[in-house]
Amino acid sequence: MILTAALVVPLLGALALALWPGWSRSAARAFAVVTTLVPLLLMVIAWSRFDTGGSMFQLVEEVDWVPSLGMGFRLGVDGIALAVAAMTALLFTGAAAYPVDTRGAARQYYAWILFLEMASLGVFLALDLLLFYVFFDLTLVGMYFLIGRWGHGEPQSAALKFFLYTLFGSLFLLLAILGLYLSADPLTFDMRELIQQQPLAGAGTFAGVVMAAFLLGFIIKTPLVPFHTWLPRAHVDAPAPASAILAGVLLKMGTYGLIRIPYSMMAETFAAWALPLGILALVSILYGALVALGQKDIKQRIAYTSINHMGYAVLGIAAAGALLDGSETARSMALIGATVEMVAHGLITGALFLIAGSFWQRGETYRLADYGGLSGRTPKLAGMTTVAAFASLGLPGLAGFVAEFHIFVGTFGVYPWLAAIGLLGILITAALFLRMLQSLFFGQLPERWNTMADLKTSEIAVLGVFMVLVVLIGVYPAFLLDIINTSARWLVGGG
């Protein structure tokens, strides 16, 4: 029952904070950190028990819910779900531990953090299609309140746009789920059964309509161009830990959903849509990088790089799903790369958004032009930012390189021209991060920053753990690749 416990513990923690008044700020924060450590520990145990030579889905926990409709409370993991869920649990611990201004409502803030952790882990651990949808939508609620209540700038407007835009996408997702469910025989929401049945194989136009609805729902969540407009505003106005969760976890629900549902359950139809999806990913890679290069705001620059990096992940998924093009080895490598990109982006961009929050707490501005010359004044802040920036631009020896190397090598074996053009995105990303580092840390130190404080111990501890993992994945990726390869073998090679 370790997967169920990973959902129940943060939910109970959220209820305790919400219903039990009298928590001090420090007590609420300490309680939230300890509570988030439990799902993290449970994910470590799940990782240790996962058999890389075993079946696709393992550690399955199942209780019938409405048997006549094929509904059940079903949890389980394959290698992809386990890798992303473990990263999610770690990111929530970091988000809870990172210092933030809770504006006199610490109890409520940490309650929403724990509620959002429960819903997010539920998305990645669900083996029931309807349960997946329920958790998918619950994450909107948690993030809506975190942005709207504890954001800055125009938080209510940003929260409303985020909620309505992504809810619009999830309605298409619901229609697609119903279309897939009604095509199954027998009727079931069991993901394992739907993967085995491939209910819409040979269904022609109807299968295309269902696929279009799935893609629209997940592309809005990821997001890809031109469905990305909700993202920059939400990131800029959200508190830093919420931005880290939004980029590190919620965006992954789009790419993870693409793999788990349309890719796995409608392989034949997905293959027909793989090239258009790959082209859309390429547009997002280049557009995200170019627009990020022109941003004058730290958070907006990082936000647009997320569109760029999620483009890499979707490019890998599209290449992996092209059944009639490329070898199994190339497609498997592309899928592995897409999954590593999800984990690497979660750690790296999560860290970058937390760092942006540290700048805000010290200067209450995100404008790059307001800073400069800070390398001597805040060496720890400069060091952490530099490692995260170089990891994000794909420097060898760091996690981003492992992900992008797999994606591009795999994609070259399927769509070589897409891979060749997509490499330009890496060049632009390198330029934008180097310019950001120059603006923040080089040149003359403005007088107003003569007393700017360096990172606190709690900030160093959180960022340090993230960066150690980024380096570990970069120099010894086998511990992660072995887990993911188990799923790639089943999804690309059929077992």
Side-chain angles (χ1 to χ4, degrees):
M1 298 298 283
I2 57 176
L3 302 185
T4 301
L7 304 186
V8 170
V9 169
L11 178 61
L12 292 177
L15 291 173
L17 286 169
L19 302 177
W20 191 357
W23 294 83
S24 68
R25 180 180 178 279
S26 58
R29 181 184 176 197
F31 177 77
V33 172
V34 171
T35 304
T36 59
L37 283 172
V38 176
L40 179 59
L41 177 63
L42 292 170
M43 289 301 103
V44 172
I45 294 171
W47 196 295
S48 69
R49 292 183 181 178
F50 193 83
D51 179 6
T52 55
S55 59
M56 180 173 173
F57 291 108
Q58 301 181 29
L59 306 173
V60 174
E61 298 164 10
E62 185 172 14
V63 177
D64 283 340
W65 186 4
V66 186
S68 59
L69 296 178
M71 296 164 56
F73 181 82
R74 303 182 178 98
L75 302 179
V77 290
D78 66 344
I80 294 172
L82 181 56
V84 180
M87 180 273 293
T88 297
L90 176 63
L91 208 58
F92 270 94
T93 300
Y98 213 75
V100 65
D101 180 9
T102 54
R103 302 177 188 176
R107 178 172 65 87
Q108 295 88 339
Y109 172 83
Y110 289 109
W112 281 117
I113 288 281
L114 293 176
F115 174 83
L116 186 55
E117 180 176 29
M118 178 278 298
S120 300
L121 285 172
V123 170
F124 300 124
L125 301 180
L127 281 185
D128 184 277
L129 206 49
L130 195 60
L131 195 62
F132 172 92
Y133 180 77
V134 169
F135 285 127
F136 191 89
D137 266 10
L138 286 179
T139 61
L140 305 185
V141 179
M143 185 53 71
Y144 171 81
F145 282 103
L146 285 172
I147 296 174
R149 174 64 179 84
W150 289 275
H152 36 73
E154 299 177 356
Q156 285 80 25
S157 173
L160 184 64
K161 186 173 184 180
F162 157 79
F163 191 92
L164 293 179
Y165 215 124
T166 48
L167 180 64
F168 175 74
S170 73
L171 293 178
F172 283 93
L173 179 60
L174 178 60
L175 291 174
I177 287 173
L178 292 177
L180 190 63
Y181 168 76
L182 294 172
S183 302
D185 184 19
L187 294 176
T188 182
F189 287 102
D190 189 331
M191 289 182 169
R192 297 163 298 176
E193 180 67 23
L194 290 168
I195 292 172
Q196 190 172 12
Q197 279 193 30
Q198 297 287 312
L200 287 171
T205 303
F206 182 68
V209 171
V210 172
M211 177 58 69
F214 270 131
L215 292 183
L216 185 58
F218 288 131
I219 284 172
I220 289 175
K221 191 76 170 185
T222 300
L224 293 185
V225 176
F227 305 103
H228 65 287
T229 57
W230 62 268
L231 181 69
R233 193 74 258 158
H235 269 310
V236 171
D237 290 345
S243 286
I245 294 169
L246 180 60
V249 178
L250 267 64
L251 303 191
K252 308 304 173 296
M253 294 174 190
T255 47
Y256 174 79
L258 283 173
I259 297 173
R260 177 56 63 236
I261 302 177
Y263 179 102
S264 301
M265 300 175 190
M266 301 175 63
E268 180 183 297
T269 312
F270 190 89
W273 287 69
L275 181 56
L277 184 63
I279 293 172
L280 195 61
L282 176 63
V283 172
S284 297
I285 289 170
L286 299 178
Y287 177 87
L290 285 170
V291 176
L293 183 62
Q295 298 304 308
K296 309 299 183 187
D297 179 293
I298 301 172
K299 262 194 162 183
Q300 282 194 339
R301 181 165 291 204
I302 300 169
Y304 276 103
T305 65
S306 288
I307 297 170
N308 161 264
H309 283 98
M310 288 298 91
Y312 294 138
V314 175
L315 181 63
I317 295 167
L323 294 179
L324 302 179
D325 299 291
S327 67
E328 274 190 15
T329 302
R331 293 193 295 114
S332 178
M333 192 169 288
L335 185 60
I336 290 170
T339 307
V340 176
E341 180 71 30
M342 286 191 261
V343 175
H345 180 264
L347 295 172
I348 296 167
T349 306
L352 284 170
F353 275 119
L354 292 177
I355 288 169
S358 295
F359 276 100
W360 175 265
Q361 288 183 36
R362 287 156 176 79
E364 296 194 351
T365 175
Y366 288 126
R367 288 184 71 243
L368 286 164
D370 290 341
Y371 296 98
L374 286 168
S375 58
R377 179 67 207 166
T378 57
K380 296 168 187 170
L381 178 61
M384 289 294 182
T385 309
T386 301
V387 174
F390 276 98
S392 191
L393 63 85
L395 189 75
L398 300 172
F401 174 79
V402 176
E404 289 162 19
F405 181 82
H406 279 79
I407 290 171
F408 280 103
V409 170
T411 305
F412 261 113
V414 182
Y415 301 130
W417 60 278
L418 284 182
I421 300 172
L423 283 173
L424 292 173
I426 294 179
L427 186 63
I428 302 168
T429 306
L432 72 90
F433 273 116
L434 292 176
R435 285 182 60 178
M436 186 179 83
L437 292 176
Q438 289 174 345
S439 298
L440 294 172
F441 301 112
F442 297 165
Q444 188 69 31
L445 179 69
E447 189 175 346
R448 63 185 290 199
W449 305 127
N450 281 339
T451 57
M452 184 169 172
D454 207 346
L455 292 176
K456 303 173 187 172
T457 302
S458 57
E459 294 171 310
I460 294 171
V462 172
L463 295 173
V465 170
F466 287 3
M467 291 304 101
V468 165
L469 279 172
V470 166
V471 174
L472 183 60
I473 294 171
V475 299
Y476 183 67
F479 79 96
L480 177 60
L481 298 180
D482 287 347
I483 290 283
I484 299 170
N485 190 48
T486 305
S487 295
R489 188 176 66 243
W490 281 96
L491 292 172
V492 175

